[in-house]
Amino acid sequence: MSEQNGAQRIGAHVSLDDAVADAGRLGADVVQVFVSDPQSWKVPPLEYPGGAEGFRSAVTDAGIDVYVHAPYVINVASPNNRIRIPSRKLLQQVMTRAGELGAKGVVVHGGHVTAKDDPATGFDNWRKAIDSLETDVPVLVENTAGGDFSMARRLERIEQLWAAIQQADGGSEVGFTLDTCHAWAGGLDLASAVADVRAITGRIDLVHANDSRDAAGSGADRHTNFGVGQIPEDLLVGVVREAGAPVICETKGDVGTDIAWLRERL
């Protein structure tokens, strides 16, 4: 999944409808899209001209790789049936659509339990969720920034989560998305984050490259543009370079400037 340093594919989160045009405008060779409202429990019909085949043809002709970000409402770790069951159903719908679009992977937040729950329940719920999926597209679990009861904020939780996922049918196909802002705000040491995560997962499939508005360990998921946030430049660039994976910038405003900023430093 890794690429040679200096030749990493770098891009941004864009709208599905305008993915090719946005990629061209931003100088992106990889994009991330939503296939539904990120706060909704429904995946609407695809209205792209020519449908899924039209989208696949357009991005292929443009030489663009595509990743899908799952809706934020999904929490397959939840012990609450009214959250967990709809989360699994929605994730399956997203995975199916991602497959139709030819996506390289689907980014899914690690989710959380509550203070009164045993974290082991959340880890096992992840195993069950992966077990139940029918898809050829990899799930890419993303580390999160905050929450004392998160499944993927701290390394020890990521290790427990990964052990549970590996027990699932298809668990070996699950990948990992490392978000630099989330790692910084979540209290991970960016100087060793890539090595630390790889020691657990054996892989980093995608990088979300974002600066952080807030201090290290703050738990605040607030992305900002490169060079104006709290993450030292050498640490941010070092994570991207060492990971060697495709990069999605989820920064603010003129993302093209951030893509160029990063390319100049790799």
Side-chain angles (χ1 to χ4, degrees):
M1 298 281 181
S2 295
E3 305 183 18
Q4 292 298 315
N5 289 344
Q8 285 170 261
R9 296 176 72 81
I10 303 174
H13 188 100
V14 301
S15 71
L16 189 155
D17 292 345
D18 299 318
V20 173
D22 285 348
R25 176 175 57 83
L26 297 170
D29 41 30
V30 57
V31 297
Q32 177 179 274
V33 299
F34 289 123
V35 297
S36 65
D37 182 327
Q39 301 294 348
S40 172
W41 290 97
K42 296 181 179 180
V43 176
L46 182 65
E47 296 183 354
Y48 194 88
E53 185 175 345
F55 180 87
R56 286 200 311 272
S57 296
V59 296
T60 299
D61 290 347
I64 301 166
D65 288 336
V66 178
Y67 291 83
V68 168
H69 198 303
Y72 302 138
V73 293
I74 289 177
N75 181 10
V76 298
S78 177
N80 184 335
N81 290 344
R82 289 178 290 180
I83 297 174
R84 184 183 68 258
I85 293 173
S87 291
R88 284 191 197 171
K89 291 179 178 178
L90 178 56
L91 180 56
Q92 180 62 67
Q93 293 171 12
V94 171
M95 301 303 298
T96 299
R97 178 62 54 81
E100 294 167 353
L101 297 176
K104 300 289 187 182
V106 175
V107 178
V108 184
H109 287 174
H112 60 275
V113 296
T114 68
K116 62 180 174 46
D117 301 313
D118 183 349
T121 302
F123 302 135
D124 196 52
N125 283 340
W126 256 103
R127 176 191 63 79
K128 293 174 181 175
I130 298 300
D131 252 338
S132 69
L133 280 180
E134 296 182 6
T135 181
D136 293 326
V137 180
V139 169
L140 305 180
V141 180
E142 180 180 1
N143 63 303
T144 49
D148 290 333
F149 311 103
S150 298
M151 299 290 96
R153 174 181 179 178
R154 298 184 173 91
L155 291 173
E156 59 268 24
R157 289 286 176 86
I158 294 173
E159 185 171 12
Q160 292 170 289
L161 173 59
W162 211 254
I165 286 174
Q166 295 311 299
Q167 296 174 30
D169 181 23
S172 62
E173 302 302 315
V174 174
F176 196 85
T177 298
L178 179 60
D179 186 301
T180 57
C181 173
H182 295 179
W184 171 264
L188 301 189
D189 181 356
L190 289 190
S192 61
V194 171
D196 292 340
V197 169
R198 278 216 185 101
I200 295 168
T201 66
R203 59 197 292 172
I204 293 174
D205 300 77
L206 187 67
V207 174
H208 281 176
N210 304 297
D211 208 332
S212 174
R213 185 195 71 181
D214 297 285
S218 64
D221 181 6
R222 294 293 183 269
H223 302 179
T224 193
N225 302 91
F226 301 144
V228 300
Q230 299 283 333
I231 303 178
E233 178 181 315
D234 61 329
L235 288 179
L236 198 157
V237 175
V239 168
V240 175
R241 183 185 293 119
E242 188 178 353
V247 182
I248 296 293
C249 300
E250 299 174 315
T251 49
K252 309 293 184 182
D254 183 10
V255 184
T257 299
D258 283 323
I259 291 173
W261 184 97
L262 193 55
R263 282 207 178 106
E264 288 172 2
R265 289 161 175 76
L266 289 177

